[in-house]
Amino acid sequence: MARDPRTSFAAGRLPPPPWTTRFAPAPTGELHLGHVANALWVWGLARAFGGRVLLRIEDHDRVRCRPEHERAILADLDWLGLEPDRDPSSGAPRVRQSDRNEVYESALGRLERGGEVYVCRCTRREILALSAAAAGEEPRYPGTCRGRGLPADASPMRRVRLPGDLVEFEDLRLGARRQHPDSQCGDLLARDRDGNWTYQFAVAVDDLEQGVDVVVRGEDLLESTGRQILLARRLGRERPPLFLHHPLVYRADGAKLSKSSRDTAIGELRRQGWSAARTLGAAAAAVGLLPQPRPLTLREAAARLAEAGAARAPSA
Ligand code: GLU
């Protein structure tokens, strides 16, 4: 059977089993086929190569996340037959970022004591005005508040100084990558003006605290990886996780799926009478794990990933 070159990766570089990965949806909407493709890579890789899967509900954004979305995500995962392993420290079937304020406070405190955090009160508009980013590009924080020594009560916003280092890492699928977070985003926002922990900060702390050593996620998050590696090092992590960024699912018109893509929402497919196997197969075909959509089990997806992983020499 012809293999899709998009799926080949260096399985020989995975840590010895049992290693730990995670599925980390944000409950800002329903799961769609893109999440299912991610889940297939996460669970399939873990089943094929001796990993365990933690479920982390990434509800750090208290404004956009909703408990009903979390309930729907859990019901969809159950329906798809995707069962997570228990969190090793708490024994809980999942962790929720909104329950972990103390963990983030304590990580920030460690960095603060090392002089690596400062209070910032720049608005997004000010940063946009100062940054040279073109429309749609990520604005770089120019460090306006870095030397100001603002008192703690000036704002809940906190930034972590990022060293100017070039970060080099070897993505298991995409190979050697070089990123320069200082010129991409500048000093990293850890907590925003509403007191919300940011995705970048929470994810680096959680991956460290939960012992996640393999991060499997879509290519849309590739640009975040260098800064998460720097932050992990700043937090005292000796070996940052390994990363595998997989292909994304696109709509027929080439647009990325979003939580508002009702047509591929899993709840909608279920209402239309799709089976779990048909849903897994449609997601697998969309990211090159199957040549054509057809019903697929998780076991078969794992077998296909076992093949895709064996296709590349460990050093490639
Ligand atoms: N919570 C993120 C999302 O739903 C995924 C984060 C990650 O895998 O690092 O897109």
Side-chain angles (χ1 to χ4, degrees):
M1 165 112 26
R3 253 191 305 257
D4 188 317
R6 284 182 299 162
T7 60
S8 118
F9 67 96
R13 294 191 48 243
L14 285 166
W19 45 269
T20 304
T21 186
R22 75 313 195 265
F23 182 65
T28 52
E30 284 189 66
L31 292 188
H32 54 58
L33 279 185
H35 295 102
V36 179
N38 176 238
L40 275 177
W41 273 90
V42 168
W43 265 275
L45 217 67
R47 294 283 185 271
F49 297 101
R52 36 173 189 228
V53 179
L54 307 182
L55 175 59
R56 185 198 300 151
I57 302 295
E58 296 211 324
D59 59 349
H60 54 93
D61 182 336
R62 284 172 297 180
V63 178
R64 292 172 59 230
C65 294
R66 299 255 184 282
E68 60 271 27
H69 295 317
E70 180 181 327
R71 283 194 292 276
I73 289 172
L74 297 179
D76 285 346
L77 287 177
D78 192 46
W79 178 74
L80 289 163
L82 299 170
E83 200 187 321
D85 295 292
R86 289 183 173 263
D87 178 60
S89 52
S90 63
R94 61 188 163 275
V95 301
R96 191 184 289 119
Q97 287 182 325
S98 58
D99 296 334
R100 291 168 65 76
N101 192 42
E102 280 167 24
V103 177
Y104 307 129
E105 285 286 2
S106 128
L108 190 76
R110 286 201 312 271
L111 296 174
E112 253 163 3
R113 285 190 290 283
E116 290 160 17
V117 176
Y118 61 90
V119 179
C120 172
R121 61 170 178 216
C122 295
T123 62
R124 197 170 157 74
R125 184 186 294 224
E126 281 164 348
I127 298 170
L128 280 174
L130 286 170
S131 116
E137 266 181 29
E138 176 175 20
R140 173 182 184 275
Y141 181 63
T144 319
C145 290
R146 189 193 271 194
R148 277 187 173 158
L150 292 171
D153 59 2
S155 162
M157 276 168 86
R158 296 291 182 274
R159 286 192 187 268
V160 180
R161 294 170 198 266
L162 280 194
D165 306 3
L166 178 72
V167 186
E168 300 186 75
F169 60 96
E170 185 88 17
D171 185 277
L172 293 177
R173 187 178 74 90
L174 300 170
R177 311 300 291 199
R178 294 155 69 91
Q179 290 179 1
H180 197 243
D182 182 41
S183 51
Q184 287 174 280
C185 60
D187 290 342
L188 200 105
L189 190 63
R191 196 168 58 203
D192 71 13
R193 61 181 48 253
D194 301 316
N196 284 316
W197 299 101
T198 63
Y199 158 67
Q200 303 289 356
F201 185 75
V203 91
V205 173
D206 287 338
D207 285 340
L208 168 65
E209 301 285 336
Q210 294 191 284
V212 169
D213 44 14
V214 183
V215 172
V216 181
R217 61 188 181 194
E219 276 177 355
D220 53 341
L221 288 166
L222 181 60
E223 293 305 312
S224 292
T225 300
R227 67 196 75 168
Q228 289 175 11
I229 290 176
L230 277 187
L231 195 54
R233 287 194 197 128
R234 287 244 130 159
L235 289 163
R237 186 161 187 169
E238 264 172 49
R239 278 163 148 292
L242 290 170
F243 289 86
L244 184 151
H245 292 89
H246 58 72
L248 299 178
V249 179
Y250 291 98
R251 298 168 62 94
D253 61 6
K256 219 179 96 176
L257 295 186
S258 73
K259 294 224 166 86
S260 53
S261 308
R262 298 277 332 151
D263 45 344
T264 63
I266 304 314
E268 185 55 33
L269 300 179
R270 284 173 70 174
R271 280 186 285 278
Q272 288 174 21
W274 283 42
S275 67
R278 181 176 174 196
T279 309
L280 292 177
V287 292
L289 288 172
L290 276 183
Q292 298 296 330
R294 65 160 172 81
L296 183 81
T297 61
L298 175 59
R299 185 191 288 252
E300 283 177 277
R304 299 194 74 88
L305 280 166
E307 258 183 64
R312 181 121 42 109
S315 59

